[in-house]
Amino acid sequence: MLQVQGVFKSYATPQGPLAVLQGVDLQLEHGSSLALMGESGSGKSTLLHLMAGLDQVDRGTISIAGHRLDRMNEAKLANWRRTEIGLVFQQFNLISSLKIDDNLAFQARLAGRFDPLWQAQLIERLGLGDLLKRYPEQLSGGQQQRVAVGRALASRPGLLLADEPTGNLDEATSDEVLQLLLDLLRDSPTSLLMVTHSPRVAARLANKVVLHNGRLADAGKR
Ligand code: ADP
Ligand code: MG
């Protein structure tokens, strides 16, 4: 499903180039899940941004479902992102001027993939029925993250990329959101790659890798 090969990425800084990724290889099988761990500053978000097509590799290749991201132009990439990738961040990133129902449908509508039946299912399974006419600021953190999960899955993407999605939630809420997410993914074709600091969270996913000194080390199966 996802294949990362020999990826290098550095940033220009006033002190000269900062080499962040130095030959990253990664594979994620269709329908599987992977926890991406590593110290703060090790390059986890950088790698996730590259896989989401939000930034470009210096060297190496990333392909998703057989499509090479580095061969797409900006317009194709933007369209690709909308339809094939779901993104969830630590800061829930909901649109503050839109009510919850419109936040949920936003990305799927843009992608031309709005499916009222699936939308209704997501609302029910994420327990959002009573919150649809509220604005994001009127929701708790856990509720907002449930909306962000629903929004990311609304277009039925092949790949869900989540960057510390439970990092801003207390332990009980984090467990609850994660459980809902895993339940939703169980009977869907979506693969999951999740950046997390929490060994507890990582242990719930099928596989785990650790980013260290610009490379990935296999941390073994669950
Ligand atoms: P992580 O998500 O693992 O905490 P990041 O991928 O955010 O790590 O960052 C990796 C390193 O790259 C850090 O040292 C960070 O300061 C640096 N970095 C990230 N983004 C940029 C940028 N746009 N310009 C310069 N340096 C950056
Ligand atoms: Mg990060």
Side-chain angles (χ1 to χ4, degrees), residues 126-204:
L126 291 166
L128 297 172
D130 294 334
L131 307 174
L132 296 176
K133 294 300 165 196
R134 294 201 205 171
Y135 288 95
E137 64 180 17
Q138 299 169 315
L139 267 55
S140 71
Q143 290 170 333
Q144 289 192 53
Q145 199 57 308
R146 272 150 48 196
V147 177
V149 165
R151 175 180 61 179
L153 292 177
S155 65
R156 293 184 183 277
L159 178 62
L160 182 67
L161 297 171
D163 197 347
E164 304 193 37
T166 59
N168 267 342
L169 306 175
D170 61 60
E171 205 168 88
T173 310
S174 157
D175 284 350
E176 178 200 302
V177 169
L178 182 66
Q179 191 57 51
L180 284 168
L181 174 59
L182 294 177
D183 287 347
L184 277 168
L185 290 187
R186 188 173 307 131
D187 16 80
S188 95
T190 302
S191 311
L192 171 67
L193 189 144
M194 182 184 289
V195 173
T196 180
H197 275 298
S198 161
R200 267 167 17 98
V201 169
R204 308 287 308 278

Side-chain angles (χ1 to χ4, degrees), residues 11-13 18 20 38-47 163-164:
Y11 293 110
T13 72
L18 172 70
V20 177
E39 285 166 20
S40 183
S42 59
K44 304 181 298 296
S45 295
T46 298
L47 180 56
D163 197 347
E164 304 193 37

Side-chain angles (χ1 to χ4, degrees), residues 75-90:
K76 189 150 185 237
L77 209 52
N79 184 53
W80 158 268
R81 217 165 26 233
R82 271 201 297 271
T83 52
E84 302 301 335
I85 308 256
L87 285 169
V88 181
F89 298 100
Q90 182 172 2

